């Protein structure tokens, strides 16, 4: 069973598969080359595939932001060489996140900032508290 964090992604991938198949012509099996399949899709079907991909991308970005901020939390300067990023040979958590995605460190830093602003927090008592920006967190979580 998928975790809460990945459930939306699993649904998105199933929706993408269904939308892709539905967009293909009913008669004849198009070439297995993805470009050939895209070229044979109906206009409305292609637009549906695009919408499903965009929704999946938004859900994926939400999970990536959560992962990025947790990497940052485990890489604080106080941890020094014991921080996760340093253990992996990176000078910062943003550099580690950027290396995985092939993006820039500035982009990774923004992802970490979004994750920090939308993550639930923990009080000194151990109780979970809402994010600093709960409306933004809710919007991101719903894609």
């Amino acid at each position: 069973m998928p975790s809460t964090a990945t459930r939306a992604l699993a649904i998105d991938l199933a929706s993408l598969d269904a939308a892709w198949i539905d967009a293909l012509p009913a008669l004849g099996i198009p070439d297995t080359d993805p470009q050939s399949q895209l070229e044979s899709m109906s206009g409305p079907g292609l637009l549906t595939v695009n919408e499903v991909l965009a929704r999946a991308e938004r859900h994926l970005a939400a999970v990536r932001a959560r992962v990025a901020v947790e990497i940052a939390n485990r890489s604080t300067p106080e941890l020094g060489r014991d921080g996760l990023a340093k253990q992996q040979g990176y000078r910062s958590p943003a550099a580690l996140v950027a290396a995985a995605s092939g993006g820039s460190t500035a982009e990774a830093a923004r992802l970490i900032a979004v994750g920090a602003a939308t993550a639930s927090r923990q009080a000194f008592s151990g109780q979970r508290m809402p994010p600093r920006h709960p409306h933004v967190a809710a919007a991101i979580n719903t894609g």
Side-chain angles (χ1 to χ4, degrees):
M1 178 172 175
S3 72
T4 303
T6 60
R7 188 169 293 122
L9 289 171
I11 292 167
D12 290 340
L13 290 177
S15 296
L16 176 60
D17 191 47
W20 191 281
I21 291 168
D22 288 347
L24 295 172
L27 298 175
I29 300 171
D31 192 336
T32 57
D33 171 52
Q35 185 60 40
S36 296
Q37 289 183 350
L38 287 166
E39 291 168 1
S40 70
M41 287 181 181
S42 66
L46 183 61
L47 294 176
T48 299
V49 167
N50 185 55
E51 289 170 12
V52 173
L53 282 169
R55 184 177 60 237
E57 192 171 51
R58 290 189 303 271
H59 285 136
L60 184 59
V63 175
R64 284 194 65 226
R66 291 179 189 275
V67 170
V69 76
E70 187 58 27
I71 289 170
N73 290 342
R74 295 181 188 197
S75 303
T76 60
E78 301 84 44
L79 295 172
R81 294 184 332 182
D82 291 332
L84 186 59
K86 298 280 187 195
Q87 287 177 351
Q88 300 304 310
Y90 294 93
R91 67 186 186 297
S92 70
L96 188 155
V97 171
S101 69
S104 69
T105 55
E107 182 181 298
R110 285 190 295 273
L111 190 64
I112 291 169
V114 169
T118 58
S120 63
R121 300 168 291 153
Q122 188 169 353
F124 288 119
S125 65
Q127 180 182 12
R128 297 306 301 177
M129 296 173 29
R132 282 184 278 147
H133 301 283
H135 298 309
V136 177
I140 287 174
N141 292 338
T142 60

